[in-house]
Amino acid sequence: MLKLMRFYAPRGLRIVRGENQYLWDDRGRRYLDCHTGHGVAFLGHRNPRVIEEVKKQLERITTLSPTFDTDVKEEATKLLERILPSHLTYFYLLNSGSEAVELALKIARRTTGRRRFISFINAFHGRTMGALSVTWSPRYRDGYEPFPWEVEFLPYDDAEAVERSIDEEVAGVIVEPVQGEGGLAVASRDFLKAIKGRCDEAGAVMIVDEVQSGFGRTGILWAHQRAGVKPDILVAGKSLGGGFPVSLVAVREDLGERMGAGSHGSTHGGNPLALAAVKGGVRALLEEGVVDRARVSGEELGRALERIAGENPELARGTRGMGLMRGIELRTNPAPVIRRLQEEGVLALKAGLTVVRLLPPYMIGSEDIGLIEEKLSGILQVLKESLLRRGGTPLRRG
Ligand SMILES: *Cc1c(COP(=O)(O)O)cnc(C)c1O
């Protein structure tokens, strides 16, 4: 019998349809989707602009080598130019976040001639060998060493460690402006500035991995822009294609100039359907006021989570994240809470070991946030009572 490999624990739900922020299962039950395939469906399920562009492209041509020119390539490029930092003048499209990270690392390796990278504790950058080398968790790394180069993991958000450790042997530093899988830690401005400052002094390349935090999710177009830094390479993915598998690497002019023919490539990378999806995705981002809505709803969601954390100090350590990349840090394993949320019609996911993470589509409204608050606080209340019944307070405070 043919079986799917067991990389992900099944959720026990059969989903039949998705629209905007909602999914429906085969029993007709509706779910508020704050999982969104690890943040992919940020523009909502079946965003009309994305569907329109992909449908149009399906009628024309769906596959073509990057060696040929097309209207859709030109149009997608023009739209991307409106949202990418203006100092990043070369880009390339790939199919997954990992692949884009892979190219970013290759560019740093090749253009500096160095072979040492700096990453951070709790970082997640993907599962291919290069991306995995800068991913922190032993859960993902075990059994795959050695990696192609030396990687040092520094404490996240520690500007002093950055000042000390980035030297003339470092090819690149890769950082998530807001850590996704690792637990929703938010980088301070000083930390991001310190990385850029030291990279410039040492001739190293600063790579911002915005695969999860980018494209408006944190209430700003690119999360690193809060700090006013200009990274040498930006990596995007997940929500960029509005649900279609596509990722992007954007680089500084001189780095782009030095990556010539043969230095990288991808069979499906930037195919016409992917370009159409990007075109639809960027149009949606610009025409639907996505960034502002994510910021406003994000603040409302943040306040709701603060109330829940405040009311449950025995169970919650506090809130994490920014924009619509938020969570609540528990003093206990979040898995049972996430399971109960699913039964109550809200899909969430874990981050790190203790965080209930919410990655909703940008169009969630007050009613949805009210639902999250009602369900989550109800579940924590029941959990608290059952812990008390089992005697005392097994969960330490402080
Ligand atoms: C998901 C993720 C990746 C990997 O993307 P894939 O599409 O799964 O390869 C890389 N970096 C970050 C920050 C991510 O969240």
Side-chain angles (χ1 to χ4, degrees):
M1 193 177 78
L2 184 63
K3 289 163 292 182
L4 201 61
M5 293 182 81
R6 292 177 293 194
F7 300 145
Y8 293 90
R11 286 278 188 142
L13 276 190
R14 184 178 288 257
I15 299 298
V16 294
R17 194 166 72 83
E19 189 170 322
N20 297 331
Q21 67 270 52
Y22 304 114
L23 296 178
W24 284 265
D25 71 9
D26 57 350
R27 296 177 301 159
R29 284 199 47 168
R30 193 187 83 169
Y31 298 86
L32 175 63
D33 188 10
C34 300
H35 181 295
T36 53
H38 297 86
V40 170
F42 174 58
L43 297 177
H45 290 281
R46 297 189 298 118
N47 181 288
R49 287 179 173 79
V50 177
I51 299 283
E52 179 197 328
E53 296 294 344
V54 172
K55 263 190 181 160
K56 239 177 13 189
Q57 196 58 42
L58 279 169
E59 302 293 327
R60 294 176 184 165
I61 185 164
T62 60
T63 183
L64 193 71
S65 155
T67 48
F68 299 98
D69 294 330
T70 53
D71 288 350
V72 69
K73 189 198 280 185
E74 199 178 301
E75 290 154 7
T77 304
K78 275 203 189 117
L79 280 161
L80 281 172
E81 192 171 12
R82 291 178 59 188
I83 64 160
L84 287 173
S86 59
H87 71 289
L88 302 177
T89 54
Y90 278 95
F91 81 101
Y92 196 73
L93 294 184
L94 292 154
N95 314 288
S96 71
S98 300
E99 271 182 282
V101 167
E102 210 73 28
L103 174 56
L105 298 173
K106 282 178 74 177
I107 294 171
R109 170 80 182 86
R110 188 178 171 104
T111 58
T112 62
R114 304 173 186 175
R115 54 175 78 198
R116 212 165 91 75
F117 283 89
I118 302 268
S119 180
F120 297 93
I121 292 172
N122 288 326
F124 183 88
H125 298 293
R127 326 284 196 132
T128 55
M129 286 302 275
L132 188 58
S133 76
V134 287
T135 288
W136 182 76
S137 174
R139 194 168 156 241
Y140 306 133
R141 296 170 66 90
D142 278 357
Y144 297 116
E145 287 172 73
F147 293 112
W149 37 55
E150 187 197 331
V151 180
E152 185 183 356
F153 290 90
L154 303 180
Y156 189 73
D157 209 25
D158 184 339
E160 274 170 38
V162 160
E163 298 286 351
R164 262 197 319 274
S165 308
I166 302 176
D167 58 26
E168 278 71 20
E169 291 187 355
V170 172
V173 179
I174 183 162
V175 62
E176 295 160 274
V178 180
Q179 286 189 325
E181 304 305 304
L184 300 179
V186 178
S188 65
R189 291 178 173 83
D190 287 346
F191 173 61
L192 294 174
K193 280 190 186 140
I195 295 174
K196 181 55 180 160
R198 273 307 295 156
C199 279
D200 284 352
E201 286 163 10
V205 171
M206 178 181 183
I207 303 164
V208 289
D209 181 348
E210 296 252 23
V211 169
Q212 193 161 142
S213 61
F215 211 62
R217 173 158 297 279
T218 66
I220 177 169
L221 187 46
W222 305 104
H224 75 270
Q225 289 175 326
R226 255 177 330 124
V229 296
K230 292 186 171 168
D232 305 299
I233 304 183
L234 176 143
V235 179
K238 293 210 162 97
S239 54
L240 176 68
F244 193 93
V246 55
S247 63
L248 168 144
V249 179
V251 307
R252 224 173 60 195
E253 176 88 8
D254 60 308
L255 298 180
E257 289 289 341
R258 288 163 67 190
M259 295 296 290
S263 60
H264 196 69
S266 166
T267 301
H268 291 298
N271 68 72
L273 273 187
L275 286 162
V278 168
K279 191 182 159 201
V282 180
R283 271 189 58 210
L285 186 86
L286 295 170
E287 294 168 17
E288 295 171 18
V290 168
V291 182
D292 286 341
R293 288 183 63 175
R295 194 187 59 249
V296 172
S297 302
E299 282 163 9
E300 191 178 340
L301 177 60
R303 287 192 296 272
L305 294 178
E306 284 291 348
R307 282 193 293 273
I308 299 170
E311 284 158 14
N312 295 279
E314 307 86 347
L315 286 171
R317 253 179 227 287
T319 64
R320 294 288 201 107
M322 61 183 285
L324 288 178
M325 185 173 176
R326 284 197 194 257
I328 187 159
E329 187 182 7
L330 302 181
R331 298 176 191 281
T332 159
N333 178 8
V337 174
I338 292 166
R339 206 174 312 122
R340 284 289 301 135
L341 272 173
Q342 175 172 316
E343 288 161 13
E344 298 282 340
V346 178
L347 302 180
L349 68 169
K350 200 165 150 175
L353 296 173
T354 53
V355 178
V356 177
R357 179 173 33 157
L358 302 166
L359 297 173
Y362 84 84
M363 71 277 290
I364 63 160
S366 297
E367 211 174 294
D368 300 313
I369 293 169
L371 181 78
I372 295 169
E373 184 170 6
E374 180 200 324
K375 299 301 184 191
L376 191 51
S377 63
I379 289 163
L380 292 186
Q381 188 61 37
V382 171
L383 186 61
K384 193 155 66 183
E385 283 160 14
S386 86
L387 287 171
L388 285 174
R389 264 202 312 279
R390 275 192 266 144
T393 47
L395 304 169
R396 268 188 310 114
R397 290 185 64 165

